[in-house]
Amino acid sequence: MAETDVGPKLKLALVGCGGIARAHWRGIKYHAPRIEVTAVVDTVRASADAMSERIGAPAFYSLESALAEGDFDAVDIMLPHDLHEEAALACFEVGQHVCLEKPMAHTLASCERILEAASKVDTVFFIAEQAQYWPDVIEAARLIGEGAIGEVLSARGVFYDVLAVGPDDPKPWRFFAERSGGGISIDGGAHWIRPMRMLLGEIDEVIAETRAHTPRREGESVALALFRFESGVVASFEAVEYEGAIGPVQDLRVTGTHGELVSVRGRDGGMTLYNPEHPDGLRVADGFPGRADAYGFELHDFSLVVLDGKAPEATPAHSLGEFRTAQAMYRSAESKRWEKVWD
């Protein structure tokens, strides 16, 4: 689409200039033509200045100064989880549209306060969960809906994450459980819980075991769980943080009465359909490129919700499903019993 054809643009401030901000910027640059980044914000001056130079937008060193002096109508908040509530509420108060990185916050009480504040303003509140926009998962949902694998019997979601923190590096904020809200399940693992909810419906209860093996991490770095969905389908979930070599991983597998959908991680990965018509497998969607691009797809959706009044692909309240599932896993690891997600 030509630059002159995109229509009105949304002026956006990037709040938080860490690694995720670079991924968001790449997504905006290539896949969100109706967004113009007009400010970047970070309390670490070097981070704000580096992002400012990368994008060509003014840098601010506090959210307060950005809200007072910046030229933007919406914010993309990418801060540590325990800072989400304060930042979101400050933006609601001055009439900003808010896109907030998942999870909504580090505690359920904080999430509920954010939702209550959002309900009292007329601006858009949007939770950024890129898995909602993964092309392979969207195609899998379509195929399941068409009966391509018959009745769904079971599923498996797997998240393996490379440990990117050396023993001599400063302890990252994610390693503090009270800041992040937990460990690997509530953070990166949520990206693999959302697809299973998209494909199988809502999760009713879980049983889980967790382990902390990563030095200095306070939350879990290994999690194994079973999810029982309201439909009666049972799926397994596995999340592991590792620093060694690892073999090929099937990160999403859905088995039905007539076939399977299997997704393989990696740059050459993708979704493959196996059924009587395609016993040797039919590649139905790419993996890595589409998933990396999903940062742009989610932010483009945010811009359409703000500018055109489009309904979001998922509501902020829906995003609590991943958060509450992780919390139920933590309770189960203590109780050694099935734990309800929504009670």
Side-chain angles (χ1 to χ4, degrees), residues 7-9 16 31 66 76 87-88 98 129 135 141 172 185 206 217-218 228 231 237 242 252 266 306 325 340:
K9 288 195 171 187
H31 301 290
D76 181 11
V98 173
E129 172 46 83
S185 303
V206 308
R217 178 187 272 282
E218 296 175 4
R228 180 177 288 123
S231 64
F237 171 76
Y242 71 97
L252 188 63
V306 174
T325 297
K340 291 288 188 179

Side-chain angles (χ1 to χ4, degrees), residues 156-163 184 188-189 192 221-224 238-242 245-251 265:
R156 179 178 186 235
V158 177
F159 174 56
Y160 280 17
D161 194 28
V162 180
L163 179 64
I184 192 172
W192 272 253
S221 49
V222 176
L224 300 172
E238 179 179 345
V240 178
E241 188 170 61
Y242 71 97
I246 194 167
V249 175
Q250 293 179 354
D251 57 18
R265 71 190 279 269

Side-chain angles (χ1 to χ4, degrees), residues 9-28:
K9 288 195 171 187
L10 178 65
K11 293 182 178 180
L12 180 74
L14 302 184
V15 181
C17 296
I20 191 65
R22 291 190 291 273
H24 278 218
W25 165 240
R26 181 189 179 279
I28 291 168

Side-chain angles (χ1 to χ4, degrees), residues 167-185:
D168 298 326
D169 293 336
K171 185 174 177 177
W173 65 263
R174 280 185 166 85
F175 280 24
F176 293 90
E178 66 177 23
R179 300 205 68 190
S180 64
I184 192 172
S185 303

Side-chain angles (χ1 to χ4, degrees), residues 224-308:
L224 300 172
L226 294 177
F227 299 161
R228 180 177 288 123
F229 289 76
E230 292 177 352
S231 64
V233 172
V234 175
S236 65
F237 171 76
E238 179 179 345
V240 178
E241 188 170 61
Y242 71 97
E243 54 184 331
I246 194 167
V249 175
Q250 293 179 354
D251 57 18
L252 188 63
R253 186 177 194 125
V254 185
T255 302
T257 52
H258 302 316
E260 289 189 309
L261 285 158
V262 180
S263 179
V264 178
R265 71 190 279 269
R267 291 181 179 273
D268 296 325
M271 183 73 69
T272 301
L273 167 67
Y274 297 88
N275 65 9
E277 290 76 30
H278 307 286
D280 296 324
L282 174 68
R283 174 84 163 236
V284 295
D286 288 331
F288 182 88
R291 290 184 181 178
D293 292 341
Y295 291 109
F297 302 155
E298 69 182 359
L299 288 161
H300 182 57
D301 194 36
F302 174 58
S303 72
L304 297 182
V305 174
V306 174
L307 295 170
D308 298 343

Side-chain angles (χ1 to χ4, degrees), residues 147-158:
I149 62 171
E151 179 185 353
V152 173
L153 300 174
S154 64
R156 179 178 186 235
V158 177

